Amino acid sequence: LVEEFSSFLDQKPYCTSSQLIALGLFGSQSAASAAIRRGDLPSIRISPKRTVIPRSAVLEYFKSNLVEAAGNK
């Protein structure tokens, strides 16, 4: 499952919160922004209006949440 998710991210080193919403990792912009503010999802502010998330951080976030979801069943 992690490999499939990785292939959806392409090989770009960074992605945006909008791309993560389109992939279904977050349900809304406010949910993605909250994860960034909490520090759950490390990000890089490129300009006052543009923030990107490293691909490696997205994969790590996905893995940790996948494990938590599986553990709650």
Side-chain angles (χ1 to χ4, degrees), residues 3-22:
E3 287 180 25
E4 277 185 50
F5 186 75
S6 178
S7 69
F8 283 126
L9 292 175
D10 298 323
Q11 293 301 318
K12 296 178 183 177
Y14 302 101
C15 54
T16 63
S17 56
S18 298
Q19 290 171 318
L20 299 181
I21 293 165

Side-chain angles (χ1 to χ4, degrees), residues 24-60:
L25 190 58
F26 295 100
S28 66
Q29 185 64 43
S30 60
S33 296
I36 291 170
R37 272 194 311 275
R38 284 191 310 266
D40 295 341
L41 195 59
S43 63
I44 301 167
R45 180 159 306 263
I46 294 179
S47 72
K49 293 186 177 185
R50 182 152 172 84
T51 300
V52 294
I53 301 107
R55 183 177 189 271
S56 59
V58 173
L59 290 173
E60 195 60 39

